[in-house]
Structure formats: C-alpha cells, structure tokens
Amino acid sequence: KDLFDSVLETEKIEPKMLAYDRPSFKYLAFLKKYYGLHDYYPQSNSFVVFKEYFEALAEQAEAERQKKEA
C-alpha cells in the first residue's frame, strides 16, 4: 500500500482516475479494501475502469460549467 500511495502522490492522481490492465482478483480486493473501489466497468480490451472515474468526470464538468456561468 505504501508503494502505491507513493506513486499516486508523485503522479498527483487518485486511484479512481486510473484504468487497470487485467487486474487480478487480489488486486481488485486491494483496491476495494484500501480505496473503496468496487463498482467497475470491464472493457473489451481487459482494462477495468471504476464507476467513480465517470462520477469524478461529471463533477468536474459541472464545476467547469458553473464557473463559466458565474
């Protein structure tokens, strides 16, 4: 966990904003346990994208829209 946290900090990104290439069941359990990521959309190319990724994008888009209206 410390290594993964270090990478996230260095890259200035949250785990929900990443796509994971063919994650194992153990890695999915790790992401669920430590980061609360469990609802995902498997892609046809074996990547996994978590639901929170799309929610964060929608929130960012809404914030941008409100900023432009102000």
Side-chain angles (χ1 to χ4, degrees):
K1 181 175 181 319
D2 292 337
L3 177 62
F4 191 64
D5 284 340
S6 178
V7 170
L8 294 172
E9 185 178 324
T10 299
E11 296 298 323
K12 296 177 177 55
I13 195 161
E14 297 177 65
K16 67 183 177 185
M17 300 306 291
L18 298 171
Y20 298 88
D21 187 12
R22 289 176 280 205
S24 66
F25 291 114
K26 285 185 178 186
Y27 195 55
L28 290 171
F30 167 85
L31 292 169
K32 181 179 181 180
K33 178 179 179 179
Y34 291 108
Y35 302 102
L37 299 173
H38 54 86
D39 292 331
Y40 62 87
Y41 301 105
Q43 307 296 307
S44 60
N45 58 3
S46 300
F47 276 80
V48 164
V49 178
F50 287 95
K51 178 183 76 169
E52 290 84 355
Y53 171 82
F54 297 102
E55 291 171 352
L57 288 182
E59 289 172 9
Q60 288 174 350
E62 179 63 20
E64 293 278 330
R65 187 186 63 76
Q66 289 179 355
K67 188 176 180 181
K68 287 181 182 178
E69 291 178 355

